[in-house]
Amino acid sequence: MTAADRLEVGRIGRAHGLHGEVAFTLTSDVTDRVARGSVLHVGDRPLTVVASRPHQGRWLVRFAEVTDR
């Protein structure tokens, strides 16, 4: 899959806490895009969602490939 074939579903913001969570602004209206097991791409780097939860108008997302701040 090329970058042209991908759909933007959100934007990663700042780190949240010490355990690898990040603030994620969902630009899609489909919240299943950040469901556990979903694979999102940042450039050519695939990131697998381990956990996500709504928090103050955006989402806090933790990825398997990111373990700390």
Side-chain angles (χ1 to χ4, degrees), residues 41-63:
H41 289 81
V42 177
D44 291 334
R45 181 179 179 189
L47 297 173
T48 306
V49 176
V50 173
S52 65
R53 59 191 169 104
H55 178 73
Q56 297 181 353
R58 56 188 165 184
W59 289 79
L60 295 179
V61 180
R62 192 164 27 114
F63 298 106

Side-chain angles (χ1 to χ4, degrees), residues 1 6-8 16-18 32 34-35 38 43 45 49 59 63 65-66 69:
M1 178 181 290
R6 294 187 185 138
L7 172 67
E8 180 182 303
H16 180 84
L18 301 175
D32 286 344
V34 290
S38 297
R45 181 179 179 189
V49 176
W59 289 79
F63 298 106
E65 295 80 7
V66 180
R69 190 174 179 89

Side-chain angles (χ1 to χ4, degrees), residues 15 22 33 43 48:
V22 294
R33 305 257 192 229
T48 306

Side-chain angles (χ1 to χ4, degrees), residues 15-45:
H16 180 84
L18 301 175
H19 303 288
E21 279 187 319
V22 294
F24 187 87
T25 303
L26 191 64
T27 57
S28 171
D29 59 349
V30 181
T31 58
D32 286 344
R33 305 257 192 229
V34 290
R36 183 182 180 113
S38 297
V39 177
L40 304 177
H41 289 81
V42 177
D44 291 334
R45 181 179 179 189

